[in-house]
Each structure stands twice: as structure tokens, then as C-alpha cells.
Amino acid sequence: MQPLLDVRNLMTYFFTQAGLVKAVRGLEFSIDEGETLALVGESGCGKSMTALSLLRLVPDPGRLVDGEVFFEGKDLRRLPEEEMRRIRGNRISMIFQEPMTSLNPVFRIGEQITEVLRLHKGVDGRQALAAAVDLLHQVGIPAAERRVREYPHQLSGGMRQRVMIAMALACDPQLLIADEPTTALDVTIQAQIMNLLKDLQQERQMTMLLITHDLGVVAESADKVAIMNEGLIMEYAPTVEIFANPTHPYTRGLIGCIPRLGEKRARLSPIGGATASAERAPGTSYLDTCPEPFAPVRNQLPPLREIAPGHFVRCWSR
């Protein structure tokens, strides 16, 4: 069966005055219908830029330089911009990382939700406002009839995130991209938001690309995991396999950073390397310091190899 989303050799570079920054360096992954893939890695590894690349929203001076992004059998990179606009927010929706900067502070909540419905569904007036109220009810916002008349600053962080989810779901998308949906929320609200996303995904039979650095969220929410560093996928496998048999040193390093109840440590275990930069000195890359099977050879990166069914690791041989 053909996957809903199939990404092949995706490359996004930034052409800056300081030099060339390779933010995404040849990503390959796929997501089947109804599945959740978690894209995991530390800040600056290229997770959010991957999401923006899929939607062709890379900011200047960045540019998609290569790759294919097949969604429902169509290569999004080769679609006319007008057709791409019909897909964004409609067939593919995205929950952005920080709701306070994603919501317009001078428009009421209801106006921002109804804008999505007017643009993609042709719904207007009272019907659009009623749909906005219903969406707020679906995402668990109390007194939704009053909230649609309020501004973003009048809502708590958790409520603003729920509004973002309501906007993303307004057109019943096939694919939902959730970029750090629990950032800056307290632990209780984080759990509520993730449970809400899981419930809505099951009800609507959505496919989800979950971008996060929280391995606890991954363990509870994802079917497959892609471990990302320096714009590359280091390991890619079903979630159970990643936690039971982490193979790449970077994956083991990430899992080793998770605190465990009852376990005393003299100090935290740091992960070496640096994030993508035009000024990165030779030898500062995480891969440069990897053991031999995982390190570059003659400036060539090791490929992603399948070491077990569905389990891929960036190495020369295992």
C-alpha cells in the first residue's frame, strides 16, 4: 500500500552571508494512513525546518534545493503555488510551536478560526461562527460561545494551544503536523494536550507527524520514530524497537539523558557535537566523534542501512 506521505532525499539549505548552512541534508521517511511518526532530536537539529520544507514555507534566505515530497501520490515540490495553497491548512494542517506568536493578537479567536473555513470551505457568516464554536467545544474549551469573541491575550497558554488545534482541524485534514505542541506548557497541561490530540486523531482517522524532543511523549504517542541530528536521520524504527534496541550512539545518548526515578547519578550525561552552522569547525560535528562504523569516511556520510525489518541506522556496517 502506498504511504500517505513519502519523503525522499529532502534538502533545505540557507544561503547566508556567513556561508552555507545545510539545515536538512537528505531526509527520507514515510508515514502510512492513520499512523503517527515522531521526529525527535535536540533544538537546532532541523526538525521544524523539515516541517516547513514539507509545506514549502521555508523562510528566506533558505531554499529547498532537492528532494521529493509525495502526498497522496503527488509531489508537493512540483505543484503550482495556487494548488499548494489549497492543500495547506486543508489537506495538510500544522500546529505551530508557539501559539502566542502564531495567533494574530488584534483579531478575535472566532475571526481567526472562521478565516480558515472561509478560505478552504467557502463557509461564511453565522454558519462559519457556529462551526468555530463547535470546534472549540471539540478541543475542550469551556464557554466556547464567549471565547470566540475574546482575543488571544485573554486566554491561558493551554487554551491558546487548543485554539491552534481547533484551527488546524477546521478543514478535517488528512495529515496533521504538530510542531512541539506542548512547548512552554506545564506538565499537567502537556498531558491534556497530548491526550486530546490522540483522541482527535482516532476520531478523525488522521495521520500525524509529531515533532518533539520529549521521549516520554514519543513513547506514549508514536508508532514510529525518526531520530534526527544535524539535519540527518540517524535512526528510524518502530517506537518499541527504538526503546528496546537503540543502536546508533546518538539514540543511546538521547535515551541516556532521560532521568529515572530511584536512579542516582553523579552528573548528567551530555551529548557532544554542534547544531547546524556555517561556521562549524572541522571535528565539531557529532558524527565526527562517532565510533568507526558510524563516522564519516573520506568526507562521505554513512548511509541509512536496514539492520532489521523496518529498523534503519546511519552506519557503514552492523
Side-chain angles (χ1 to χ4, degrees):
M1 189 175 92
Q2 187 179 47
L4 179 70
L5 180 71
D6 189 12
V7 179
R8 304 174 187 174
N9 197 38
L10 185 66
M11 297 185 185
T12 302
Y13 294 173
F14 281 76
F15 299 85
T16 71
Q17 291 183 344
L20 180 65
V21 178
K22 297 180 179 181
V24 180
R25 302 163 63 191
L27 291 197
E28 300 206 358
F29 61 84
S30 63
I31 317 177
D32 295 329
E33 282 195 40
E35 192 174 58
T36 298
L37 171 69
L39 198 57
V40 182
E42 57 195 306
S43 297
C45 73
K47 304 187 302 295
S48 295
M49 197 49 58
T50 298
L52 295 175
S53 300
L54 299 180
L55 292 172
R56 284 172 40 183
L57 292 175
V58 177
D60 287 333
R63 195 162 74 237
L64 270 164
V65 298
D66 201 358
E68 298 168 311
V69 181
F70 287 99
F71 174 71
E72 296 182 323
K74 295 180 180 179
D75 186 358
L76 300 185
R77 281 203 63 212
R78 284 158 178 78
L79 293 182
E81 182 56 31
E82 184 178 346
E83 189 173 350
M84 192 65 209
R85 279 199 299 268
R86 288 197 293 268
I87 290 174
R88 289 192 207 106
N90 187 13
R91 303 295 291 162
I92 305 176
S93 285
M94 183 167 173
I95 303 169
F96 291 90
Q97 192 168 135
E98 178 44 64
M100 199 55 197
T101 57
S102 301
L103 292 169
N104 194 319
V106 300
F107 287 100
R108 299 176 194 272
I109 295 301
E111 292 173 302
Q112 299 190 54
I113 299 174
T114 55
E115 182 183 15
V116 179
L117 294 165
R118 288 198 305 270
L119 179 64
H120 292 294
K121 297 295 185 184
V123 180
D124 214 339
R126 291 183 180 179
Q127 189 179 357
L129 189 60
V133 171
D134 183 53
L135 282 163
L136 292 185
H137 278 305
Q138 289 182 45
V139 298
I141 292 184
E145 293 80 1
R146 174 166 58 87
R147 296 296 184 185
V148 292
R149 298 191 296 273
E150 294 182 341
Y151 293 92
H153 74 271
Q154 295 177 277
L155 275 61
S156 67
M159 281 194 177
R160 287 195 293 267
Q161 192 63 281
R162 289 172 187 265
V163 170
M164 291 296 297
I165 294 170
M167 290 174 64
L169 299 180
C171 295
D172 200 18
Q174 287 293 103
L175 174 64
L176 177 65
I177 301 173
D179 187 4
E180 300 279 8
T182 58
T183 295
L185 301 177
D186 66 53
V187 175
T188 305
I189 302 300
Q190 285 182 19
Q192 291 175 5
I193 294 296
M194 289 311 304
N195 287 335
L196 172 64
L197 283 173
K198 284 171 65 177
D199 291 344
L200 290 169
Q201 182 185 19
Q202 290 174 1
E203 288 172 15
R204 293 167 175 252
Q205 297 182 320
M206 281 189 308
T207 305
M208 185 167 12
L209 175 61
L210 174 63
I211 297 171
T212 184
H213 61 268
D214 189 333
L215 287 168
V217 168
V218 170
E220 293 187 6
S221 306
D223 300 300
K224 294 190 299 191
V225 184
I227 303 292
M228 192 170 175
N229 181 250
E230 300 179 27
L232 296 163
I233 288 178
M234 300 295 187
E235 191 161 358
Y236 177 52
T239 304
V240 173
E241 180 70 9
I242 283 283
F243 284 95
N245 184 31
T247 303
H248 197 281
Y250 183 73
T251 308
R252 292 200 295 266
L254 277 183
I255 293 174
C257 291
I258 302 173
R260 291 171 175 80
L261 288 174
E263 180 182 304
K264 291 185 178 181
R265 299 187 189 181
R267 57 175 295 165
L268 293 174
S269 303
I271 296 177
T275 56
S277 167
E279 302 173 351
R280 186 168 59 198
T284 60
S285 164
Y286 182 86
L287 274 172
D288 291 341
T289 61
C290 268
E292 187 175 317
F294 306 96
V297 174
R298 294 182 297 279
N299 295 321
Q300 291 185 343
L301 290 169
L304 271 178
R305 291 184 177 275
E306 189 169 20
I307 61 169
H311 189 166
F312 296 83
V313 178
R314 188 167 294 283
C315 63
W316 295 112
S317 62
R318 288 298 293 166

